[in-house]
């Protein structure tokens, strides 16, 4: 067997270590590459930060932040602090009149200060009080509770219960909005009338409210906000809704308008903070947004006004720093490089349009001081870029190289998996013999759990890059170990053809099929002897019914008679079962004696009854029939063997005389060529008749085992070599090419050399006679301890229109027309001789393919 270096155990272990190492390196490199690219460095970027795509993106994002901040604080330019903001006008987007046109308005300064507080969206508890006329009146819970406490309002209970302090406290607790249950009702939006209160009166006993319950928002930003500032001309927003005709009953809309107004002023406050971050002297970025129609200018450039911003632009755009100038009538723009695509210009214009600042009259300018004198956000990004840019390409190249080497290792391990240099078998370990699906799930779950733990450990934004690189390497190590474990096990299973054989699904399907088969057998069993089966089932059903009945009577305190009847019935059934078991043992013992050869044995039937007596009687008669049949068969076989032997011996004497006289006639050297031809034919036919007679005798002896064998140790491979040498010329005459493959290991067997030679001679002679000319004959001797096997394959010249079993019968040949030489006994003699020597002789036919296999046990 050829030695392959990658099948050696030491090499396999080294390949595993190297492959896992390269997987770790590839994962670590990929992780570091991703982290570097997350900092803004791209593989095709310029080494100069100002010329990189990262710089362009950062300036764009920074401009987007500035433009958003300008747009968000735009509302601050619509009104001074003391001017009024009508919430309805603000909601509709109407031009602000600075008057309370809808009745609900606040000072602009109050809204701004209110929105700047961190808790401006804190909610409060509002009650809806149903008045006797059916209208609603809104009141804060704290005001209602104060009026109850001072006696200005009081609860009137509809029952005769005491209207004392405890009941009042319970009702107030329910209205406070806390989780509370009273009189079986939960407090969620359930009025006081559901909790035992008839109505609410004033101090004089006049009915003020027929029901009181909590106000619930609809979820559309209409939650009741805790008021910090009062609306214009009112004490609270509830005062406006209760008394203003336009807002009557629309508390949810009032809160919604107020909420949205505070959101706008909160955004404006945030925009103010952003613009302060990018104030002059605090950043390397200069920006300018000009509304050319109104002349409004937003910028961090000093001394820029609506009258001189164009001169400032001329100065800034004439410098060497990168800038972007966007306006409806400007097409050529520059940002970090001399040429910029129309797509990029459109991208920036869309950014302005999305913020609502783009129109027909606007101008936006942004530039960056490329010397970066201020340590701001963009300067920090530049420092990060300069630090990591030199590492990206080398790390990516190293990661790709490590991945290629890891894949090469996987390929080599795949080729050598399950193989060694000692034999051709596929070797499986315990892990490979477990159920395929269970192994797959276990490997995947272990890998998934480990990966989750590693990823969670790495999920820390403050973790340094070196530790994240170690984390990615650990991830690669974990992946490599379990990937190789699962992959190599899969490869070994495929090579050993055990992937489906060891599948849990296959075993389940086999179990299901077995269950169906058992059910089918049960149906066949029940249908085979219907009367007997039905009788057994009915008797069993009656027994179970009586058993349950007597048991129930006993458990429920029945009389002792029921218990006694149950015991008697169980003892009777036990006696019946023991008797049947004894009868089965007698039948089985009788069958064993007959099987052992005692055909005269009779099973005693005196103590048997029913079906067992009938079965025993049948078996007794079977023994008699078997004895007669065996004796008759042996007698016929002896007569056939004696007839064949006697006839063969009787033929030999005249046949020997014919052969001798033909030989004498040939020595006379007759001159007539016809006579010489006749003598030649006569001699050939006589020799053929002699061989046929000898084959008949030997076939008779071999089939009956009447041959004395001289068993000795001999080298089977060497004997096959000698036979091949004997038939080499015959094969060449018919242009048959022998393809020989012998194992290098010698094979010593115990056999009769002369008889084994006859076997091989018959087999190879059969090939030389019947193989198709100009074809190959394959001869293989394989040592597969503890056996050695000879395999001989060829293509038949004539159609093999019979089975392999028929071909080894006496006087049978593959060509039914018998146009070739041969007695038809060669393969039959070979098979019998091999079996007498303890070997196995097998034939295999597939179309015109003829294959002989001879197998012996080695010493």
């Amino acid at each position: 067997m050829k030695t392959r270096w990658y099948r050696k155990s030491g090499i396999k272990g080294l390949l595993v270590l190297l492959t896992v190492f390269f997987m770790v390196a590839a994962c670590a490199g990929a992780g570091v590459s991703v982290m570097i690219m997350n900092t803004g460095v791209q593989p095709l970027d310029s080494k100069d930060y100002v010329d990189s795509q990262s710089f362009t993106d950062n300036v764009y994002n920074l401009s987007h932040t500035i433009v958003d901040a300008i747009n968000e604080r735009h509302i601050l330019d619509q009104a001074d602090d003391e001017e009024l903001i009508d919430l309805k006008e603000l909601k509709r987007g109407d031009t602000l009149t600075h008057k309370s046109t809808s009745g609900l308005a606040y000072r602009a300064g109050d809204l701004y200060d209110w929105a700047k507080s961190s808790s401006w969206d804190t909610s409060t508890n509002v009650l809806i009080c149903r008045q006797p006329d059916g209208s609603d009146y809104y009141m804060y819970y704290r005001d209602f509770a104060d009026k109850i406490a001072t006696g200005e309002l009081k609860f009137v209970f509809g029952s005769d219960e005491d209207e004392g302090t405890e009941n009042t406290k319970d009702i107030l607790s329910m209205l406070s909005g806390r989780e509370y249950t009273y009189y079986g009702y939960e407090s969620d939006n359930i009025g006081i009338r559901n909790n035992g209160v008839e109505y609410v009166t004033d101090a004089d006993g006049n009915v003020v409210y027929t029901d009181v319950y909590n106000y619930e928002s609809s979820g559309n930003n209409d939650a009741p906000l805790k008021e910090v500032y009062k609306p214009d001309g009112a004490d609270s927003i509830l005062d406006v809704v209760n008394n203003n005709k336009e807002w009557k009953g629309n508390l949810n809309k009032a809160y919604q308008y107020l909420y949205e107004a505070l959101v706008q002023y909160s955004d404006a406050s945030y925009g103010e903070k952003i613009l302060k971050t990018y104030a002059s002297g605090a950043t390397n970025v200069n920006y300018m947004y000009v509304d050319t129609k109104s002349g409004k200018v937003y910028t961090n450039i000093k001394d820029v006004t609506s009258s001189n911003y164009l001169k400032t632009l001329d100065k800034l755009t004439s410098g060497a720093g990168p800038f972007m100038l966007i306006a409806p009538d400007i097409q050529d723009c520059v940002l970090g490089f001399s040429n910029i695509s129309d797509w990029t210009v459109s991208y920036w214009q869309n950014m302005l349009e999305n913020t609502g600042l783009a129109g027909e009259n606007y101008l936006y300018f942004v530039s960056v001081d490329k010397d970066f004198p201020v340590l701001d956000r963009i300067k920090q990004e530049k420092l990060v870029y300069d630090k990591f840019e030199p590492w990206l390409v080398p790390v990516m190249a190293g990661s790709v190289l490590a991945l290629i080497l890891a894949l090469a290792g996987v390929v080599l391990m795949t080729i050598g998996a399950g193989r060694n240099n000692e034999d051709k078998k596929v070797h499986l370990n315990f892990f490979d013999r477990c159920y395929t699906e269970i192994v797959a799930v276990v490997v995947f779950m272990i890998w998934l759990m480990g990966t989750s733990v590693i990823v969670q450990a790495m999920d820390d934004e403050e973790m340094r890059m070196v530790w994240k690189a170690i984390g990615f390497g650990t991830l690669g190590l974990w992946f490599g170990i379990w990937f190789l474990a699962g992959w190599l096990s899969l490869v070994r299973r495929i090579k050993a053809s055990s992937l489906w054989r060891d599948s849990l699904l296959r075993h389940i399907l086999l179990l299901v099929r077995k269950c169906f088969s058992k059910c089918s057998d049960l149906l066949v069993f029940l249908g085979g002897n219907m009367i007997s089966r039905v009788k057994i089932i009915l008797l069993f059903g009656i027994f179970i019914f009586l058993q349950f009945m007597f048991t129930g009577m006993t458990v429920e305190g029945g009389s002792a008679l029921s218990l006694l009847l149950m015991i008697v019935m169980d003892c009777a059934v036990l006696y019946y079962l023991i008797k049947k078991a004894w009868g089965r043992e007698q039948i089985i013992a009788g069958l064993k004696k007959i099987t052992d050869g005692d055909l005269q044995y009779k099973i005693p039937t005196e103590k048997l009854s029913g079906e067992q007596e009938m079965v025993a009687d049948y078996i007794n008669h079977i023994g008699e029939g078997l004895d007669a049949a065996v004796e008759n068969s042996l007698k016929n076989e002896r007569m056939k063997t004696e007839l064949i032997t006697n006839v063969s011996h009787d033929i030999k004497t005249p046949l020997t005389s014919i052969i001798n006289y033909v030989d004498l006639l040939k020595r006379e050297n007759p001159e007539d060529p016809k006579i010489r031809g006749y003598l030649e034919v006569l001699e050939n036919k006589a020799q053929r008749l002699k061989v046929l007679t000898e084959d008949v005798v030997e076939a008779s002896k071999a089939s009956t085992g009447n041959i004395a064998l001289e068993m000795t140790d001999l080298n089977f491979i060497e004997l096959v070599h000698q036979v091949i040498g004997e038939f080499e010329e015959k094969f060449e005459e018919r242009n048959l090419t022998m393809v020989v493959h012998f194992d290098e290991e010698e094979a010593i067997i115990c056999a009769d050399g002369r008889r084994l030679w006859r076997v091989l001679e018959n087999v190879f002679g059969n090939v030389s006679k019947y193989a198709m000319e100009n074809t190959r004959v394959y001869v293989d001797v394989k040592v597969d301890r503890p056996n050695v096997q000879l395999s001989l394959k060829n293509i038949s010249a004539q159609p093999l229109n019979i089975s392999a079993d028929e071909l080894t019968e006496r006087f049978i040949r593959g060509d039914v027309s018998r146009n070739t030489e041969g007695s038809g006994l060669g393969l039959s003699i070979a098979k019998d001789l091999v079996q007498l020597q303890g070997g196995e002789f097998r034939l295999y036919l597939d179309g015109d393919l003829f294959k002989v296999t001879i197998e012996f046990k080695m010493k």
Side-chain angles (χ1 to χ4, degrees):
M1 182 176 178
K2 187 175 180 180
T3 301
R4 303 184 187 277
W5 61 272
Y6 53 81
R7 291 183 178 178
K8 296 180 180 179
S9 299
I11 297 297
K12 287 183 179 179
L14 181 61
L15 282 174
V16 170
L17 293 177
L18 290 176
T19 302
V20 172
F21 171 77
F22 288 127
M23 285 185 177
V24 171
C27 288
V32 172
S33 300
V34 170
M35 288 187 291
I36 292 176
M37 287 189 288
N38 287 338
T39 64
V41 183
Q42 300 299 321
L44 301 179
D45 271 349
S46 170
K47 292 184 178 297
D48 191 349
Y49 174 64
V50 177
D51 295 329
S52 68
Q53 183 64 38
S54 177
F55 173 75
T56 304
D57 294 339
N58 288 333
V59 174
Y60 173 84
N61 293 330
L62 186 146
S63 296
H64 204 302
T65 302
I66 292 173
V67 171
D68 280 340
I70 293 173
N71 182 57
E72 288 169 353
R73 70 162 311 283
H74 193 259
I75 192 175
L76 301 180
D77 298 326
Q78 298 182 19
D80 295 334
D81 288 348
E82 297 300 324
E83 292 180 321
L84 292 178
I85 301 293
D86 186 271
L87 298 188
K88 197 168 188 178
E89 292 178 351
L90 185 65
K91 168 68 176 178
R92 293 179 177 180
D94 299 338
T95 302
L96 298 179
T97 62
H98 305 303
K99 297 178 181 180
S100 179
T101 57
S102 68
L104 182 59
Y106 289 87
R107 290 177 58 255
D110 291 345
L111 290 175
Y112 182 70
D113 293 338
W114 191 353
K116 284 198 302 183
S117 63
S118 60
S119 59
W120 64 265
D121 56 349
T122 302
S123 63
T124 187
N125 190 2
V126 174
L127 302 179
I128 301 176
C129 304
R130 182 64 50 83
Q131 300 180 111
D133 61 357
S135 62
D136 292 333
Y137 185 84
Y138 301 98
M139 186 184 303
Y140 287 115
Y141 167 77
R142 63 177 182 275
D143 295 336
F144 183 84
D146 290 343
K147 291 183 178 183
I148 292 292
T150 59
E152 187 177 346
L153 297 175
K154 64 178 179 178
F155 296 117
V156 176
F157 294 90
S159 62
D160 295 333
E161 297 180 12
D162 182 19
E163 305 169 6
T165 304
E166 291 300 323
N167 290 334
T168 300
K169 287 183 178 179
D170 290 339
I171 297 297
L172 290 176
S173 179
M174 179 270 294
L175 293 175
S176 69
R178 295 191 297 268
E179 293 292 336
Y180 182 75
T181 303
Y182 181 75
Y183 282 71
Y185 294 93
E186 293 185 359
S187 64
D188 186 13
N189 204 24
I190 295 178
I192 58 175
R193 297 191 66 181
N194 299 110
N195 292 272
V197 178
E198 185 70 23
Y199 42 78
V200 178
T201 64
D202 57 13
D204 298 329
N206 299 317
V207 178
V208 182
Y209 306 121
T210 58
D211 199 3
V212 179
Y213 53 92
N214 296 96
Y215 166 82
E216 297 290 336
S217 66
S218 62
N220 297 320
N221 298 327
D222 58 351
L225 299 177
K226 184 177 182 180
E227 294 190 65
V228 179
Y229 295 95
K230 298 179 180 180
D232 180 62
D235 292 333
S236 67
I237 194 171
L238 300 184
D239 189 19
V240 174
V241 174
N242 288 327
N243 300 311
N244 189 291
K245 292 183 179 181
E246 185 170 351
W247 293 97
K248 191 72 172 179
N250 288 326
L251 181 60
N252 57 341
K253 183 179 291 187
Y255 275 127
Q256 183 180 356
Y257 285 11
L258 175 60
Y259 182 88
E260 294 180 5
L262 290 174
V263 168
Q264 291 188 48
Y265 274 92
S266 177
D267 292 341
S269 174
Y270 179 73
E272 284 278 86
K273 292 180 181 179
I274 294 296
L275 294 180
K276 288 180 181 179
T277 304
Y278 296 101
S280 178
T283 180
N284 297 300
V285 179
N286 298 314
Y287 72 88
M288 181 190 306
Y289 175 81
V290 181
D291 186 340
T292 56
K293 182 177 181 180
S294 64
K296 186 66 176 178
V297 178
Y298 299 93
T299 181
N300 65 348
I301 305 172
K302 291 182 179 180
D303 303 327
V304 176
T305 63
S306 59
S307 60
N308 66 358
Y309 72 87
L310 292 176
K311 294 181 180 180
T312 304
L313 286 178
D314 290 337
K315 293 180 182 179
L316 293 174
T317 55
S318 62
F323 66 88
M324 171 64 82
L325 178 61
I326 296 292
D329 56 346
I330 296 177
Q331 299 297 329
D332 297 328
C333 305
V334 176
L335 178 61
F337 38 85
S338 58
N339 296 319
I340 189 168
S341 65
D342 294 337
W343 177 86
T344 306
V345 174
S346 175
Y347 193 60
W348 281 68
Q349 289 173 340
N350 290 336
M351 179 260 290
L352 289 167
E353 291 175 358
N354 292 335
T355 56
L357 295 180
E360 296 181 356
N361 304 288
Y362 78 92
L363 180 148
Y364 178 74
F365 170 82
V366 61
S367 66
V368 180
D369 188 345
K370 66 179 182 179
D371 294 330
F372 299 99
V374 179
L375 183 62
D376 61 352
R377 170 184 163 187
I378 199 167
K379 173 64 176 293
Q380 293 174 344
E381 291 169 348
K382 177 183 183 302
L383 295 175
V384 172
Y385 183 91
D386 293 341
K387 178 179 180 181
F388 292 110
E389 187 277 332
W391 290 96
L392 180 59
V393 174
V395 170
M396 291 181 67
S399 178
V400 171
L401 178 61
L403 179 61
I404 293 173
L405 294 175
L407 291 176
V410 171
V411 171
L412 288 175
M413 286 188 289
T414 301
I415 296 173
R419 304 284 190 183
N420 56 35
N421 289 319
E422 298 177 0
D423 52 43
K424 294 184 178 180
K425 289 184 178 180
V426 178
H427 297 273
L428 303 177
N429 55 35
F430 171 77
F431 190 68
D432 301 332
R433 292 186 176 91
C434 297
Y435 287 131
T436 303
E437 294 86 349
I438 293 178
V439 170
V441 171
V442 169
V443 170
F444 177 75
M445 292 304 297
I446 293 177
W447 170 81
L448 184 62
M449 289 187 293
T451 302
S452 301
V453 172
I454 297 172
V455 170
Q456 289 178 2
M458 294 170 57
D459 190 17
D460 184 0
E461 295 181 358
E462 298 181 358
M463 182 181 290
R464 298 183 62 182
M465 184 172 291
V466 62
W467 290 108
K468 284 200 173 185
I470 294 174
F472 277 107
T474 306
L475 193 63
L477 175 64
W478 187 256
F479 171 79
I481 291 173
W482 289 106
F483 169 77
L484 289 180
W487 173 255
L488 295 180
S489 178
L490 175 64
V491 170
R492 289 190 291 267
R493 291 168 186 264
I494 293 174
K495 288 183 177 181
S497 301
S498 64
L499 184 65
W500 176 245
R501 184 187 66 203
D502 293 337
S503 170
L504 180 61
L505 177 61
R506 173 178 174 270
H507 285 78
I508 293 175
L509 293 176
L510 289 176
L511 180 61
V512 171
R513 187 178 70 176
K514 188 175 181 181
C515 291
F516 278 110
S517 177
K518 293 296 183 183
C519 293
S520 176
D521 293 343
L522 179 60
L523 293 176
V524 172
F525 171 77
L526 293 176
N529 189 353
M530 184 61 70
I531 297 176
S532 176
R533 310 298 189 258
V534 171
K535 182 174 69 173
I536 293 174
I537 294 173
L538 288 177
L539 290 175
F540 179 75
I542 293 172
F543 170 75
I544 294 296
F545 173 75
L546 294 175
Q547 187 78 12
F548 274 107
M549 185 180 68
F550 290 144
T551 303
M553 293 171 61
T554 303
V555 171
E556 292 177 3
S559 62
L561 179 61
S562 61
L563 178 61
L564 180 62
L565 289 175
M566 184 175 66
I567 294 174
V568 170
M569 183 183 67
D570 290 344
C571 291
V573 171
L574 178 62
Y575 171 77
Y576 174 79
L577 294 176
I578 292 174
K579 182 179 179 181
K580 289 295 182 182
W582 178 85
R584 285 195 302 271
E585 291 176 0
Q586 297 301 311
I587 294 173
I588 292 172
L591 286 173
K592 186 176 183 305
K593 287 183 177 292
I594 294 173
T595 303
D596 293 339
D598 188 0
L599 301 179
Q600 302 299 325
Y601 180 78
K602 304 297 182 183
I603 300 175
T605 60
E606 294 80 8
K607 296 183 179 181
L608 300 179
S609 62
E611 292 181 350
Q612 290 184 345
E613 182 180 6
M614 182 175 59
V615 170
D617 188 57
Y618 287 156
I619 293 174
N620 290 338
H621 286 83
I622 288 174
E624 296 175 359
L626 285 175
D627 193 10
V630 170
E631 184 176 354
N632 187 44
S633 176
L634 292 175
K635 180 180 179 181
N636 290 336
E637 189 67 27
R638 285 195 301 269
M639 290 178 65
K640 289 178 182 179
T641 303
E642 290 175 359
L643 176 61
I644 292 171
T645 304
N646 293 334
V647 171
S648 299
H649 280 290
D650 290 342
I651 292 174
K652 277 186 179 182
T653 302
L655 181 59
T656 303
S657 298
I658 292 172
I659 293 172
N660 291 334
Y661 280 109
V662 169
D663 183 59
L664 292 174
L665 288 174
K666 287 180 66 177
R667 292 181 183 180
E668 294 297 330
N669 293 321
E671 296 180 358
D672 191 345
K674 288 185 178 182
I675 295 175
R676 289 199 300 271
Y678 295 153
L679 290 175
E680 192 72 29
V681 172
L682 186 59
E683 183 181 25
N684 289 338
K685 298 302 180 181
Q687 290 294 339
R688 182 181 176 186
L689 184 58
K690 180 181 178 182
V691 172
L692 177 59
T693 304
E694 292 174 350
D695 286 348
V696 169
V697 174
E698 187 165 6
S700 176
K701 293 180 179 180
S703 63
T704 58
N706 189 20
I707 295 177
L709 298 176
E710 298 179 3
M711 307 294 285
T712 59
D713 293 346
L714 54 89
N715 191 327
F716 184 68
I717 295 179
E718 183 179 347
L719 185 62
V720 175
H721 271 297
Q722 293 175 4
V723 175
I724 291 175
E726 289 289 334
F727 281 87
E728 189 171 1
E729 293 183 1
K730 293 183 179 181
F731 281 16
E732 290 177 355
E733 290 175 0
R734 303 197 62 207
N735 294 323
L736 298 174
T737 304
M738 279 196 294
V739 181
V740 182
H741 179 268
F742 285 55
D743 282 353
E744 297 178 358
E745 184 179 358
E746 68 175 11
I748 304 300
I749 65 173
C750 183
D752 187 326
R754 186 167 64 89
R755 305 296 181 184
L756 187 55
W757 177 274
R758 178 63 187 275
V759 170
L760 298 177
E761 188 178 37
N762 286 1
V763 172
F764 278 85
N766 188 76
V767 173
S768 67
K769 293 176 184 178
Y770 301 113
M772 181 181 291
E773 293 186 3
N774 301 313
T775 59
R776 285 183 288 272
V777 179
Y778 293 88
V779 183
D780 294 323
V781 178
K782 180 181 179 182
V783 177
D784 188 9
R785 291 186 179 276
N787 298 329
V788 58
Q789 184 184 89
L790 166 65
S791 174
L792 187 64
K793 293 183 289 185
N794 69 276
I795 301 298
S796 175
Q798 300 295 330
L800 297 175
N801 51 5
I802 58 176
S803 66
D805 293 336
E806 291 176 327
L807 198 57
T808 54
E809 293 180 4
R810 300 177 193 173
F811 306 107
I812 295 295
R813 293 185 296 174
D815 55 323
V816 178
S817 60
R818 290 182 173 272
N819 291 327
T820 59
E821 297 181 1
S823 61
L825 296 171
L827 294 179
S828 176
I829 294 172
K831 180 179 179 181
D832 290 337
L833 290 177
V834 169
Q835 291 177 346
L836 286 174
Q837 297 176 77
E840 291 186 14
F841 185 95
R842 295 186 294 272
L843 284 185
Y844 174 78
L845 303 180
D846 187 0
D848 293 336
L849 174 64
F850 176 84
K851 179 180 178 182
V852 178
T853 302
I854 300 174
E855 188 170 344
F856 285 97
K857 283 193 176 295
M858 296 173 56
K859 291 281 288 186

